[in-house]
């Protein structure tokens, strides 16, 4: 065989190992697909599984052996350096093949246990080798023995085969080597990136269904594992940054801060879960959240900003408008995190991008789906950006519309179709849901107000020259919102739908303050059939939006969100907001502010809403404790996996405990003396 492929020169071994690995992972994917055929067929996933799977496999091999190919182009030869390189290459090829084979062989057991391909848990369990090996040997002896046998065979076979393929090589002339090296770099980078778009290949790019297992089958186990390891690097622990606090004190503090009674919290495993009764008790309404890209208060005329938003200003007079609503962060994924999950901000990346939250993490889509709602994300760009698609499909969103789903859009920019195209498509989707008598929840995310600020000509009178500025883009985004609501108000779904117009964050947040609070202020308007106009001047956070919306559409349920239902909070409540600015976190209660910084004492301030400035002011220990508890809660809840819905078993246990309590109460009432019972009868 070796002599037959002499023309491949020193690359023969790498190419053969790539072919072997590609065959193995493809066979593995087909086998796993057949094993889970009912779930693959249910989402019509075979073609996607195989074609996109091949794409991921090629990218994986480029990452694994691309550098080895470059080293071969530069160092191979019949000389001491070349012979040393060949020995290193044999080790590299053998261990690489073993890694691929071992992970694929162990995948069925991992899928059986966790419902997904090997991920970060695979690595985390290595911290406890004794316990894990004991567990595996106790329950999976056959798999352990099979893994050992396959490992030994792979290592032995790989070593022998690599030695055979590296015999009798013909090496290229020295003057060809620079050209070959450049070609190797181009092929490797192109294959590893696997995309000509804005972003390289990632799991979100090839995700296509809300079944996390089927999505995980598209990638191979090696890719899945190393992508999870890469994600782990972004999971900063707040306790290491701001200081530690007893876990029970954190829980007790945030429960108190949530405004709910201690008796409302029923689970120690999911300590923020409480039952929340809706203020509206009629037929549940549809819910639409229009998330506006980078629309800070400074661009909104009705909030004292520039006169760029006449349509939003007018809509604010028709609904419940928030004067002092604050974003939790400075990135779109942070806004998505707050609005759709009610999760508090942390110094780590948003949960939209973190590994542990890609499945089983609470979202209002998951909750509404359990109430029979159609759940949808509508976007004009590439939905895999910032891992949105993967996060949404794994956490309750059943349907995603993105750039590829628009036929003949009127305008397409760098970030996708225009806001007009986006909102027209959203209107069509809502009409369709309504015709089919399906209650629906839709998150509609705009993108026109994003650098480089591209939008159609002759739609708005420009605020300034040149055309492509943030102020002009805001005017266009506002115009598109106005056009949408003209359609919505005359639609069949208007009376049965609640709308929230809200920004994800301000544009290019910055300033000299530890946390530039004024740049976190954003617009928020709730409107729709039956919503009475009013202006709310309380300090509120993005995390208050989801509980309030659920209450207003008539959905009562258990959930882990700690934001306030603003329909059930007194008008004189001073309010509070949480703002994460890089590694600094601000906790604002009324006009009192505590700012937490890495490895420093908490700093106290007073915020002047008129001048939008912070002035140093000592804050008491209770305020500082509350700030620290909020800052630590998110990291703790994420790491422990406790920001989730209660399982059916947990709900049964809670209901059983309630029944026992009621029974005991009845028995106590029966055993009361007559004089104690008589007043009850009166």
């Amino acid at each position: 065989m070796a002599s037959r492929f002499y023309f491949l020169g020193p690359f023969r071994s790498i190419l053969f190992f790539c072919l072997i690995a590609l065959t193995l992972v493809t066979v593995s994917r087909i086998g796993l697909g057949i094993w889970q055929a009912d779930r693959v067929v249910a989402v019509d996933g075979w073609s996607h599984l195989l074609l996109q799977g091949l794409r991921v496999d090629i990218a994986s091999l480029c990452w694994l052996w691309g550098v080895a190919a470059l080293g071969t182009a530069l160092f191979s030869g019949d000389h001491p350096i070349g012979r040393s390189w060949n020995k290193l290459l044999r080790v590299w090829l053998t261990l690489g093949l073993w890694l691929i084979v071992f992970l694929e062989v162990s995948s069925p057991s991992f899928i059986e246990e966790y419902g997904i391909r090997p991920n970060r848990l695979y690595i985390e369990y290595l911290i406890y080798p004794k316990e894990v090996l004991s567990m595996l040997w106790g329950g999976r002896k056959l798999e352990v023995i099979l893994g050992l046998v396959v490992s030994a065979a792979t290592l032995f076979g790989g070593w022998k085969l690599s030695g055979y393929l590296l015999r009798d090589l013909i090496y290229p002339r020295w003057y060809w080597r620079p050209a070959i090296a450049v070609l190797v770099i181009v092929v490797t980078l192109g294959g590893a990136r696997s995309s000509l778009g804005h972003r390289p290949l990632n799991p979100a790019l090839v995700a296509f269904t809300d079944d996390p297992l089927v999505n995980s089958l598209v990638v191979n186990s090696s890719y899945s594992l190393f992508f999870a390891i890469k994600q782990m690097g972004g999971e900063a622990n707040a306790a290491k940054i701001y200081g530690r606090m007893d876990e029970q004190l954190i829980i007790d503090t945030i429960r108190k801060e949530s405004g709910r009674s201690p008796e409302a919290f029923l689970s120690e495993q999911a300590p923020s879960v409480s039952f929340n009764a809706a203020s509206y008790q009629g037929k549940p309404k549809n819910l639409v959240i229009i998330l506006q890209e980078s629309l800070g208060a400074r661009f909104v005329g009705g909030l004292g900003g520039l006169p760029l938003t006449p349509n939003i200003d007018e809509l604010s007079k028709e609904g419940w408008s928030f004067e002092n609503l604050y974003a939790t962060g400075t990135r779109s994924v942070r806004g998505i995190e707050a609005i759709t999950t009610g999760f508090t901000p942390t110094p780590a990346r948003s949960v939209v991008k973190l590994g542990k939250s890609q499945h089983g993490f609470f979202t209002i889509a998951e909750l509404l789906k359990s109430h029979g709602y159609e759940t949808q994300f509508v976007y004009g760009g590439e939905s895999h950006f910032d891992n949105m698609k993967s996060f949404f499909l794994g956490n309750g969103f059943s349907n995603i519309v993105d750039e590829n789903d628009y036929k003949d859009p009127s305008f397409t920019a760098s970030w996708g179709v225009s806001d007009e195209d986006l909102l027209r498509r959203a209107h069509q989707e809502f009409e369709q849901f309504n015709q089919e008598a399906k209650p629906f929840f839709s998150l509609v995310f705009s993108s026109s107000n994003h650098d480089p600020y591209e939008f159609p000509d002759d739609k708005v009178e420009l605020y300034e020259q040149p055309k492509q500025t943030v102020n002009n883009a805001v005017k266009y985004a506002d115009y598109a919102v106005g056009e949408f609501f003209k359609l919505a108000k005359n639609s069949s779904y208007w009376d049965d739908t609640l709308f929230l117009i809200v920004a994800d964050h301000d544009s290019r947040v910055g300033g000299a303050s530890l946390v530039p609070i004024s740049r976190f202020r954003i617009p928020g308007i709730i409107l729709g059939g039956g919503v009475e106009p009013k202006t709310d001047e309380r300090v509120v956070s993005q995390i208050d939006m989801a509980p309030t919306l659920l209450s207003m559409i008539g959905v009562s349920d258990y959930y882990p969100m700690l934001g306030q239902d603003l329909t059930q909070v007194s008008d004189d409540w001073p309010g509070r907001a949480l703002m994460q600015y890089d590694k600094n976190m601000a906790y604002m209660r009324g006009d009192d502010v505590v700012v937490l910084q890495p490895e420093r004492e908490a700093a106290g301030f007073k915020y002047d809403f008129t001048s939008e400035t912070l002035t140093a002011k000592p804050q008491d220990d209770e305020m500082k404790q509350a700030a620290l508890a909020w800052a630590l809660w998110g990291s703790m809840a994420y790491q422990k996996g406790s920001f989730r819905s209660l399982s059916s078993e947990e709900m049964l246990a809670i209901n059983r405990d309630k029944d026992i309590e009621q029974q005991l109460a009845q028995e106590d009432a029966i055993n009361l003396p007559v004089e104690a019972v008589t007043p009850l009868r009166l």
Side-chain angles (χ1 to χ4, degrees):
M1 179 180 65
S3 59
R4 221 180 301 165
F5 296 94
Y6 69 93
F7 61 91
L8 297 176
F11 300 100
R12 181 173 59 199
S13 59
I14 297 173
L15 293 172
F16 268 86
F17 269 70
C18 284
L19 183 61
I20 293 168
L22 197 61
T23 302
L24 288 171
V25 292
T26 301
V27 170
S28 175
R29 181 177 292 108
I30 293 172
L32 293 172
I34 293 172
W35 176 37
Q36 301 291 336
D38 55 335
R39 295 172 68 170
V40 175
V41 172
V43 295
D44 194 23
W46 274 113
S47 60
H48 193 95
L49 204 69
L50 297 177
L51 293 176
Q52 293 299 324
L54 179 62
R55 177 185 180 186
V56 174
D57 296 340
I58 292 172
S60 301
L61 294 176
C62 287
W63 283 111
L64 179 61
W65 286 320
V67 175
L70 179 60
T72 298
L74 297 175
F75 306 126
S76 64
D78 190 15
H79 45 69
I81 293 177
R83 287 189 287 273
S84 297
W85 172 256
N86 282 349
K87 290 178 181 178
L88 176 60
L89 181 60
R90 288 185 69 186
V91 173
W92 198 331
L93 291 171
T94 302
L95 290 180
L97 183 63
W98 168 79
L99 179 67
I100 290 171
V101 172
F102 183 81
L103 288 174
E104 292 299 325
V105 168
S106 61
S107 291
S109 296
F110 195 90
I111 290 171
E112 196 173 46
E113 189 73 25
Y114 299 105
I116 200 167
R117 274 193 189 266
N119 59 11
R120 55 175 295 139
L121 290 175
Y122 208 95
I123 295 298
E124 290 178 347
Y125 278 139
L126 294 179
I127 301 172
Y128 313 103
K130 180 181 177 182
E131 292 84 352
V132 172
L133 289 174
S134 298
M135 177 185 69
L136 292 175
W137 188 250
R140 297 184 180 274
K141 288 187 179 67
L142 182 61
E143 289 92 334
V144 171
I145 294 171
L146 177 62
L148 292 173
V149 170
V150 170
S151 292
T154 303
L155 291 170
F156 178 81
W159 184 254
K160 288 293 186 182
L161 180 61
S162 61
Y164 179 65
L165 292 171
L166 286 168
R167 292 179 190 168
D168 305 320
L169 297 178
I170 297 176
Y171 298 101
R173 303 277 185 182
W174 64 268
Y175 47 81
W176 284 110
R177 292 189 181 241
I180 294 172
V182 170
L183 180 62
V184 168
I185 291 171
V186 170
V187 171
T188 298
L189 291 179
R193 198 173 191 280
S194 191
S195 172
L196 296 176
H198 296 297
R199 290 157 290 279
L201 178 71
N202 59 67
L205 183 61
V206 295
F208 70 104
T209 173
D210 59 354
D211 186 330
L213 171 59
V214 179
N215 281 337
S216 77
L217 294 183
V218 178
V219 301
N220 57 67
S221 293
S222 303
Y223 189 94
S224 175
L225 180 63
F226 282 95
F227 187 83
I229 293 171
K230 177 178 177 291
Q231 285 185 313
M232 290 170 66
E235 300 176 23
N237 189 323
K240 294 180 179 179
I241 296 174
Y242 303 131
R244 300 189 179 277
M245 179 185 285
D246 178 76
E247 288 190 2
Q248 191 56 52
L249 182 57
I250 294 173
I251 293 169
D252 292 342
T253 303
I254 56 101
R255 283 176 170 179
K256 179 183 176 183
E257 284 280 306
S258 76
R260 297 163 175 83
S261 66
E263 295 75 22
F265 299 95
L266 305 169
S267 171
E268 294 304 315
Q269 289 71 40
S272 67
V273 171
S274 63
F275 181 78
N276 297 267
S279 57
Y280 169 68
Q281 295 296 313
K283 176 187 174 183
K285 293 179 176 287
N286 307 313
L287 176 60
V288 173
I289 298 175
I290 300 176
L291 192 63
Q292 289 294 114
E293 172 69 51
S294 305
L295 188 64
R298 62 199 175 102
F299 301 115
V300 180
L303 295 178
L306 296 174
L308 305 174
T309 56
N311 292 292
I312 290 176
D313 294 344
E314 193 61 35
L315 290 169
S316 70
K317 301 173 185 176
E318 302 173 13
W320 183 355
S321 177
F322 297 96
E323 291 287 299
N324 289 296
L325 169 62
Y326 292 87
T328 58
T330 60
R331 289 289 315 280
S332 294
V333 283
R334 185 115 280 164
I336 290 170
E337 170 188 81
I339 293 294
T340 65
T341 78
F343 194 65
T344 54
T346 71
R349 295 182 300 170
S350 162
V351 294
V352 175
K353 303 184 75 171
L354 297 183
K356 284 184 178 180
S357 49
Q358 297 307 299
H359 177 59
F361 197 84
F362 175 83
T363 67
I364 56 173
E366 175 202 35
L367 185 146
L368 292 174
K369 189 174 183 179
S370 72
H371 283 261
Y373 280 66
E374 292 291 323
T375 55
Q376 181 186 57
F377 174 53
V378 185
Y379 186 47
E382 299 170 336
S383 60
H384 66 86
F385 174 69
D386 263 346
N387 204 53
M388 293 186 296
K389 185 178 181 181
S390 181
F391 177 79
F392 288 146
L393 289 175
N395 291 296
F397 286 81
S398 296
N399 177 258
I400 289 181
V401 176
D402 71 0
E403 185 174 7
N404 297 323
D405 298 308
Y406 293 81
K407 293 182 179 179
D408 301 319
S410 63
F411 184 85
T412 303
S414 301
W415 286 92
V417 303
S418 71
D419 282 5
E420 285 177 274
D421 291 300
L422 168 79
L423 290 165
R424 275 196 298 266
R425 175 60 183 264
H427 169 71
Q428 294 167 5
E429 295 286 323
F430 306 157
E431 289 277 26
Q432 183 65 34
F433 286 140
N434 197 65
Q435 289 174 11
E436 297 171 357
K438 295 178 179 178
F440 60 87
F441 160 58
S442 184
L443 173 67
V444 184
F445 186 21
S446 76
S447 59
S448 290
N449 183 31
H450 197 298
D451 194 1
Y453 308 118
E454 300 167 299
F455 56 92
D457 292 327
D458 304 321
K459 294 292 183 177
V460 296
E461 182 180 346
L462 298 182
Y463 179 77
E464 59 194 2
Q465 291 290 344
K467 175 191 172 187
Q468 287 179 224
T469 69
V470 62
N471 291 333
N472 290 331
V474 168
K475 284 201 73 173
Y476 172 72
D478 173 77
Y479 165 80
V481 168
E483 293 301 297
F484 167 76
F485 276 99
K486 289 178 184 177
L487 296 173
K489 289 176 182 178
N490 293 303
S491 71
S492 59
Y493 58 80
W494 173 258
D495 289 336
D496 298 318
T497 305
L498 192 74
F499 299 85
L500 170 67
I501 306 170
V502 67
D504 55 355
H505 56 85
D506 195 357
S507 175
R508 296 177 180 172
V509 176
S513 300
L514 291 174
V515 176
I517 289 176
S518 65
R519 300 295 292 274
F520 282 77
R521 185 171 169 237
I522 57 173
I525 307 165
I526 299 174
L527 68 162
V531 178
E532 295 293 328
K534 70 173 179 177
T535 299
D536 196 328
E537 296 184 354
R538 297 172 295 183
V539 171
V540 296
S541 171
Q542 279 179 325
I543 68 169
D544 299 318
M545 293 296 100
T548 303
L549 294 171
L550 292 176
S551 182
M552 293 180 72
I553 65 174
V555 173
S556 303
D557 211 328
Y558 293 90
Y559 57 67
M561 297 185 292
L562 293 164
Q564 297 276 4
D565 172 1
L566 298 173
T567 68
Q568 302 188 43
V569 179
S570 64
D571 290 338
D572 60 355
W573 176 61
R576 60 87 196 90
L578 310 168
M579 290 160 269
Q580 189 74 43
Y581 184 57
D582 191 23
K583 292 297 187 287
N584 293 348
M585 204 279 277
Y587 169 62
M588 182 162 69
R589 183 193 292 168
D591 59 358
D592 290 320
V593 179
V594 168
V595 176
L596 303 177
Q597 305 169 72
E599 301 178 6
R600 298 187 68 178
E601 290 291 326
F605 299 90
K606 179 72 73 172
Y607 184 66
D608 187 312
F609 291 92
T610 302
S611 64
E612 298 183 335
T613 56
L614 281 174
T615 303
K617 177 203 170 186
Q619 295 291 344
D620 59 29
D621 291 341
E622 182 275 331
M623 181 82 172
K624 292 178 180 178
Q625 176 180 301
L628 184 57
W630 278 117
L632 299 184
W633 160 250
S635 290
M636 187 180 85
Y638 171 79
Q639 294 294 344
K640 290 181 174 293
S642 57
F643 196 82
R644 57 178 175 80
S645 298
L646 295 178
S647 66
S648 56
E649 292 80 7
E650 289 171 320
M651 288 302 304
L652 286 172
I654 289 171
N655 291 330
R656 185 169 58 248
D657 291 343
K658 285 183 177 179
D659 291 341
I660 293 172
E661 288 176 4
Q662 291 174 358
Q663 183 179 349
L664 291 173
Q666 291 172 357
E667 291 175 357
D668 289 343
I670 291 171
N671 294 327
L672 284 173
V674 174
E675 56 269 29
V677 175
T678 302
L680 294 175
R681 290 175 178 169
L682 293 174

